[in-house]
Amino acid sequence: MRKKIITLEELEQEVQKARQQKQMIVSTSGCFDVLHAGHVTYLAEAKARGDILVVLLNSDSSVRALKGNSRPIVPEQERAVVIAGLESVDYVCIFSDRTPCRIIDRIQPDIVVKGGDYAGVQIPEMEHTAVYGGRVDYVSMVDGCSTTNIIEKIKRTMEGTNVC
């Protein structure tokens, strides 16, 4: 599974090989901080849209910029290993920007997948994929599944307990 975690340069080479074999490249991105059923379902649906699924994983600094200083809970290398361990995922590439657009520009996936909560919202990925003829697709979300909900439940559970 660690061989699935690759640099941008390695990813560009793998995408080029896949294109030579006429494979459809799908990418998605996210923090994937505390993996849950919603993430697994989302990634399986993303993979079903093509041949190769590339997960662009927000680095720790990128997650902090997006979610605040208390996040991520799980460090980027550990998150990458967990994501790479999923059958639906072919490659994981960690990025430090606020958006994955710089990588999207370089690898030009056929489809960029976002969660259904982004449907109807203008997102930067739309402009970047339009430049080279790619598209943005949306997959359904699993109700109630979110890292934030899990963290809040843990906090509520821990209130009033004497944990060292």
Side-chain angles (χ1 to χ4, degrees):
M1 96 186 96
R2 287 192 186 271
K3 66 183 176 196
K4 291 182 178 183
I5 305 167
I6 59 178
T7 66
L8 177 53
E9 292 72 24
E10 292 168 326
L11 179 58
E12 287 177 308
Q13 292 173 1
E14 294 302 323
V15 166
Q16 184 178 40
K17 287 180 202 172
R19 283 227 165 78
Q20 289 170 351
Q21 297 172 9
K22 307 289 188 221
Q23 292 181 308
M24 177 84 65
I25 309 299
V26 178
S27 78
T28 192
S29 61
C31 302
F32 300 100
D33 192 4
V34 176
L35 198 67
H36 53 72
H39 289 137
V40 175
T41 302
Y42 170 95
L43 293 170
E45 286 187 33
K47 172 67 175 195
R49 293 179 174 0
D51 301 303
I52 303 292
L53 176 60
V54 175
V55 175
L56 306 175
L57 182 68
N58 291 79
S59 69
D60 290 348
S61 62
S62 178
V63 173
R64 276 191 295 279
L66 294 168
K67 307 275 185 183
N69 288 332
S70 64
R71 301 276 298 276
I73 302 297
V74 179
E76 64 191 44
Q77 289 300 323
E78 292 178 29
R79 289 184 285 124
V81 168
V82 171
I83 294 294
L86 297 174
E87 182 181 349
S88 59
V89 175
D90 294 292
Y91 299 106
V92 177
C93 183
I94 300 170
F95 71 98
S96 295
D97 301 333
R98 285 184 67 86
T99 73
C101 292
R102 185 176 58 87
I103 298 176
I104 289 170
D105 291 342
R106 287 181 61 177
I107 65 169
Q108 299 185 349
D110 300 292
I111 302 170
V112 172
V113 171
K114 297 296 285 183
D117 54 333
Y118 286 97
V121 176
Q122 184 65 29
I123 56 173
E125 291 91 331
M126 295 168 90
E127 295 172 25
H128 288 263
T129 56
V131 167
Y132 62 85
R135 73 177 196 261
V136 176
D137 277 2
Y138 302 93
V139 296
S140 58
M141 305 294 286
V142 176
D143 287 337
C145 284
S146 80
T147 298
T148 301
N149 288 349
I150 293 169
I151 292 169
E152 289 305 314
K153 183 176 182 180
I154 291 168
K155 285 180 182 177
R156 285 192 308 274
T157 302
M158 298 308 296
E159 286 177 0
T161 61
N162 291 328
V163 176
C164 298

